[in-house]
Amino acid sequence: MPDSVVIVGAGVIGLTIAHQLLLDIQSQSSASKLKKLTFISRNYPNDEPLTHEYTSPWAGAHFRPFPHRPEAYETDKRESAYTRVTYKFFQKFAAEHPESTIEFMKGVDWLAKPTSEYLGLGPGLSKDSLVDLRTLSKPELPPGVEYGCEYLTWCLNAPEYLKFLQAQVEQLCLRLRIPLEFSRLNLTSLQDIEKWFGGTNVVFNASGTGLLYSGGYDPKSFSIRGQTLLLNVPNPNSIRYAHATITHQGNDGSWTFVIKRPASNGKPQYILGGTKQLDDDLIVPREADTQALLSRARKLFPDLLFPDGSFDIVRVNVGFRPARQAGSRVELEASPENGLKIVHAYGFGGMGYEVSVGAAQHAIRLYKSRPSRL
């Protein structure tokens, strides 16, 4: 019997799960089509204005590898593997769909205080899983930086990519003749789905902070506040950041980065970031954070400045990355009452775009397997 599927959350994870699921159905003409596909979310990509509770549109959105940390080795290994699956998918997908805004370019890391895992090119930051990885020589590094490397990375325009992804889902559903519904409900539990959408037998839980079956949220989930700046820059198509993302870690642990936001038409803009603030729920921009970013950028990235020494700030972005203690949760369970399949896929922090395809494909494999009981 065809499944009736509900996806909770229309951020990059939820939309990617739908996209990958539909691509899988399209590629296997003998496979059963879905009876219905339903999204439940308070926010969608084409909403105006965007809210701070909808994290995905605010992202800088690029791939940055990192070595596995000893204290979180297994989680880092799993999530790093997701990023490589996404990377390979994007290489082909970007060529086929330039309107997606996915663009490959050089990635550069500058670290003032690298860990031994960086210096030793440990798992997650090695040539066997990265394209064109190269350690930078001392003369190539800016003052105060002990370690640097470069590799082939990608970036994309987060809000435009989300709209593109939703359009892809809509087109695939039309082509495959699968009924599609976008619902705006404020769920208090996953159990509510059975009340509002009778006949549902599969739920993908891409709710970010982990809405639970019986209500409330995963107690291991937490949010990381991020504040970034969207900039217009001089010579946007020829500035060095048009061809390279740069990430700098300072002696004080602060991170400063420049990520191109490719334009589907017109001039690209640039994301200057950023902050990683735990236990901070301020939804409005904090001026002190903005000034700290600009101060660091004046020293590290002076070519973002216009000739009169000013920055052209288009918007100050504030978003809340949905993270989870002990790493993301990608897991299959079933309701003890009626066997409802629930595939959890949440808690990716600031790596939503990087892990999106890999995590979605893992979630779909779980959906096809046998679940444990809730």
Side-chain angles (χ1 to χ4, degrees), residues 133-156:
L133 176 65
R134 183 177 74 89
T135 301
L136 301 177
S137 64
K138 195 68 177 177
E140 295 177 279
L141 301 176
V145 171
E146 183 179 337
Y147 167 84
C149 68
E150 64 180 30
Y151 44 86
L152 185 66
T153 187
W154 54 261
C155 65
L156 56 79

Side-chain angles (χ1 to χ4, degrees), residues 23 50-51 77 103 110 154 160 167 201 250 254 256 258 281 298 361:
L23 288 176
L50 294 169
T51 69
K77 180 181 178 181
E103 184 174 329
W110 294 333
W154 54 261
E160 292 302 316
N201 60 325
S254 62
T256 315
V258 179
D281 58 2
R298 287 180 186 278
Q361 291 184 2

Side-chain angles (χ1 to χ4, degrees), residues 190-198 200 213 335 337-338 340:
L190 296 178
Q191 197 170 14
D192 287 346
I193 295 169
E194 298 168 279
K195 176 175 64 177
W196 294 107
F197 298 92
T200 297
Y213 180 76
S335 164
E337 299 171 6
N338 56 16
L340 174 70

Side-chain angles (χ1 to χ4, degrees), residues 9-19 39 41 43-47 50-51 53-61 90 93 99-102 156-171 182 206 261-262 264 352-354 356:
V12 66
I13 299 298
L15 288 167
T16 304
I17 288 171
H19 187 226
F39 279 90
S41 180
N43 304 284
Y44 289 97
N46 289 290
D47 290 355
L50 294 169
T51 69
E53 66 182 11
Y54 188 32
T55 301
S56 292
W58 304 102
F90 276 4
F93 196 64
E99 72 275 20
S100 69
T101 76
I102 300 167
L156 56 79
N157 184 320
E160 292 302 316
Y161 178 73
L162 293 172
K163 294 174 185 177
F164 164 81
L165 208 53
Q166 180 175 337
Q168 287 284 298
V169 169
E170 292 170 348
Q171 291 166 19
F182 295 99
R261 179 164 276 187
S264 53
Y353 288 86
E354 295 171 88
S356 58

Side-chain angles (χ1 to χ4, degrees), residues 60-92:
H62 75 138
F63 166 64
R64 182 180 173 272
F66 59 91
H68 307 342
R69 300 161 295 176
E71 69 274 16
Y73 189 88
E74 290 304 318
T75 295
D76 285 355
K77 180 181 178 181
R78 173 173 58 87
E79 294 178 343
S80 182
Y82 293 157
T83 70
R84 301 319 195 257
V85 173
T86 304
Y87 187 102
K88 289 180 180 178
F89 179 83
F90 276 4
Q91 283 182 302
K92 182 179 180 182

Side-chain angles (χ1 to χ4, degrees), residues 17 29 35 42 47 59 138 152 200 211 214 226 245 251 259 326:
I17 288 171
S29 56
K35 184 177 180 181
R42 286 176 292 185
D47 290 355
K138 195 68 177 177
L152 185 66
T200 297
L211 184 65
S214 56
T245 69
N251 278 308
I259 304 171

